[in-house]
Protein backbone atom coordinates (compact mmCIF):
# COMPACT_ATOMS: atom_id res chain seq x y z
CA UNK A 1 0.00 0.00 0.00
CA UNK A 2 1.27 3.46 -0.90
CA UNK A 3 -0.07 6.77 0.42
CA UNK A 4 1.46 9.84 -1.20
CA UNK A 5 -0.40 12.68 0.45
CA UNK A 6 -0.91 15.89 -1.55
CA UNK A 7 1.71 16.77 -4.15
CA UNK A 8 2.24 18.89 -7.26
CA UNK A 9 4.30 18.01 -10.30
CA UNK A 10 5.93 21.37 -11.02
CA UNK A 11 8.58 21.70 -13.74
CA UNK A 12 9.84 25.02 -12.31
CA UNK A 13 9.14 25.16 -8.57
CA UNK A 14 9.82 28.36 -6.67
CA UNK A 15 11.19 26.43 -3.67
CA UNK A 16 12.88 23.08 -3.56
CA UNK A 17 13.48 20.71 -6.45
CA UNK A 18 11.39 19.16 -9.17
CA UNK A 19 9.58 15.95 -8.25
CA UNK A 20 11.57 12.81 -9.05
CA UNK A 21 9.11 10.95 -11.28
CA UNK A 22 11.49 7.98 -11.28
CA UNK A 23 10.31 7.20 -7.76
CA UNK A 24 6.79 6.65 -9.08
CA UNK A 25 8.13 4.34 -11.80
CA UNK A 26 10.22 2.37 -9.31
CA UNK A 27 7.30 1.93 -6.92
CA UNK A 28 5.06 0.93 -9.82
CA UNK A 29 7.47 -1.86 -10.72
CA UNK A 30 6.86 -3.32 -7.27
CA UNK A 31 3.19 -3.79 -8.23
CA UNK A 32 1.53 -2.25 -5.16
CA UNK A 33 -1.94 -3.49 -4.29
CA UNK A 34 -3.26 -0.02 -3.43
CA UNK A 35 -2.28 3.57 -4.22
CA UNK A 36 -3.86 6.33 -2.13
CA UNK A 37 -3.02 9.68 -3.66
CA UNK A 38 -4.35 13.19 -3.31
CA UNK A 39 -3.69 16.25 -5.39
CA UNK A 40 -5.79 19.41 -5.33
CA UNK A 41 -7.77 19.90 -8.55
CA UNK A 42 -6.69 16.51 -9.89
CA UNK A 43 -10.10 16.17 -11.56
CA UNK A 44 -9.34 19.14 -13.87
CA UNK A 45 -7.97 18.45 -17.32
CA UNK A 46 -5.72 21.51 -17.37
CA UNK A 47 -2.31 21.70 -15.76
CA UNK A 48 -1.82 23.91 -12.73
CA UNK A 49 0.47 26.88 -13.15
CA UNK A 50 4.06 26.46 -12.00
CA UNK A 51 4.91 28.14 -8.70
CA UNK A 52 7.48 30.27 -10.55
CA UNK A 53 4.72 31.59 -12.84
CA UNK A 54 2.47 32.20 -9.83
CA UNK A 55 5.30 34.15 -8.18
CA UNK A 56 5.59 36.46 -11.21
CA UNK A 57 1.80 36.99 -11.21
CA UNK A 58 1.86 37.80 -7.47
CA UNK A 59 4.71 40.21 -8.12
CA UNK A 60 2.64 42.10 -10.72
CA UNK A 61 -0.46 42.18 -8.51
CA UNK A 62 1.41 43.22 -5.35
CA UNK A 63 3.30 46.00 -7.14
CA UNK A 64 0.06 47.42 -8.55
CA UNK A 65 -1.91 47.11 -5.31
CA UNK A 66 -2.50 50.19 -3.21
CA UNK A 67 -3.19 49.63 0.46
CA UNK A 68 -4.12 46.29 1.98
CA UNK A 69 -3.48 43.12 -0.02
CA UNK A 70 -5.08 39.89 1.19
CA UNK A 71 -3.80 36.48 0.13
CA UNK A 72 -5.62 33.29 1.07
CA UNK A 73 -3.94 29.89 0.86
CA UNK A 74 -3.79 26.44 2.40
CA UNK A 75 -1.72 26.44 5.60
CA UNK A 76 0.15 23.43 4.21
CA UNK A 77 1.48 25.41 1.21
CA UNK A 78 4.67 26.55 2.90
CA UNK A 79 6.38 27.28 -0.41
CA UNK A 80 3.63 29.75 -1.30
CA UNK A 81 4.12 31.40 2.10
CA UNK A 82 7.78 31.84 1.23
CA UNK A 83 6.80 33.59 -1.99
CA UNK A 84 4.56 35.99 -0.09
CA UNK A 85 7.23 36.75 2.53
CA UNK A 86 9.86 37.42 -0.13
CA UNK A 87 7.57 39.73 -2.10
CA UNK A 88 6.46 41.55 1.05
CA UNK A 89 10.08 42.22 1.98
CA UNK A 90 10.97 43.42 -1.52
CA UNK A 91 7.92 45.71 -1.69
CA UNK A 92 8.22 46.93 1.91
CA UNK A 93 4.90 45.41 3.01
CA UNK A 94 3.92 43.83 6.31
CA UNK A 95 2.56 40.30 6.67
CA UNK A 96 -0.16 39.23 9.09
CA UNK A 97 -0.94 35.55 9.55
CA UNK A 98 -4.44 34.37 10.40
CA UNK A 99 -4.85 31.01 12.07
CA UNK A 100 -2.96 28.65 14.32
CA UNK A 101 -2.03 26.27 11.48
CA UNK A 102 -0.52 29.12 9.45
CA UNK A 103 1.51 30.29 12.43
CA UNK A 104 2.69 26.77 13.28
CA UNK A 105 3.66 25.93 9.71
CA UNK A 106 5.58 29.19 9.29
CA UNK A 107 7.39 28.59 12.57
CA UNK A 108 8.22 24.98 11.61
CA UNK A 109 9.26 26.01 8.10
CA UNK A 110 11.68 28.54 9.58
CA UNK A 111 13.01 26.08 12.18
CA UNK A 112 13.95 23.47 9.58
CA UNK A 113 15.38 26.08 7.20
CA UNK A 114 12.82 25.59 4.43
CA UNK A 115 11.47 29.11 4.89
CA UNK A 116 14.13 31.74 4.92
CA UNK A 117 12.85 35.08 6.05
CA UNK A 118 14.50 37.85 4.03
CA UNK A 119 16.72 40.05 6.14
CA UNK A 120 14.72 43.23 5.90
CA UNK A 121 13.60 45.31 8.85
CA UNK A 122 10.33 46.15 7.09
CA UNK A 123 9.16 42.54 7.10
CA UNK A 124 7.25 41.83 10.27
CA UNK A 125 4.72 39.08 10.69
CA UNK A 126 2.13 38.96 13.37
CA UNK A 127 -1.10 37.17 14.11
CA UNK A 128 -4.40 38.55 12.89
CA UNK A 129 -5.93 40.90 13.86
CA UNK A 130 -3.00 43.21 13.45
CA UNK A 131 -2.40 45.27 16.58
CA UNK A 132 -2.79 49.06 16.06
Amino acid sequence: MIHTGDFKIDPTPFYGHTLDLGIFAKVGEEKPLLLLSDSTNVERHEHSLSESVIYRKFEQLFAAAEGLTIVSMFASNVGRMGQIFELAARLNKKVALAGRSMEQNVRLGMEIGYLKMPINKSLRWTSWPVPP
Side-chain angles (χ1 to χ4, degrees), residues 7-10 18-28:
F7 65 94
K8 179 176 184 176
I9 299 173
D10 188 342
T18 56
L19 183 63
D20 181 3
L21 297 176
I23 291 173
F24 285 95
K26 183 179 177 184
V27 170

Side-chain angles (χ1 to χ4, degrees), residues 8-128:
K8 179 176 184 176
I9 299 173
D10 188 342
T12 56
F14 184 78
Y15 272 107
H17 306 284
T18 56
L19 183 63
D20 181 3
L21 297 176
I23 291 173
F24 285 95
K26 183 179 177 184
V27 170
E29 291 170 3
E30 296 175 12
K31 308 244 187 279
L33 297 175
L34 178 66
L35 169 65
L36 298 170
S37 183
D38 178 28
S39 188
T40 305
N41 297 323
V42 72
E43 70 280 355
R44 293 187 182 176
H45 294 284
E46 306 85 30
H47 290 278
S48 296
L49 294 175
S50 169
E51 290 299 317
S52 295
V53 171
I54 291 170
Y55 178 83
R56 289 191 301 275
K57 289 192 180 289
F58 273 147
E59 188 173 34
Q60 293 166 352
L61 292 168
F62 282 30
E66 295 179 18
L68 181 66
T69 304
I70 297 175
V71 178
S72 176
M73 71 185 79
F74 292 114
S76 60
N77 196 339
V78 180
R80 181 79 47 86
M81 289 180 207
Q83 292 179 5
I84 301 304
F85 292 153
E86 182 176 305
L87 283 170
R90 278 197 18 230
L91 298 171
N92 198 28
K93 296 193 182 261
K94 298 175 189 174
V95 175
L97 301 176
R100 189 174 49 112
S101 293
M102 290 293 286
E103 293 173 11
Q104 286 177 328
N105 288 349
V106 167
R107 191 172 299 110
L108 290 171
M110 291 170 56
E111 284 176 11
I112 64 170
Y114 185 75
L115 277 179
K116 295 175 178 43
M117 298 297 279
I119 299 172
N120 180 332
K121 300 280 188 217
S122 67
L123 180 63
R124 296 177 297 274
W125 66 275
T126 184
S127 297
W128 188 265

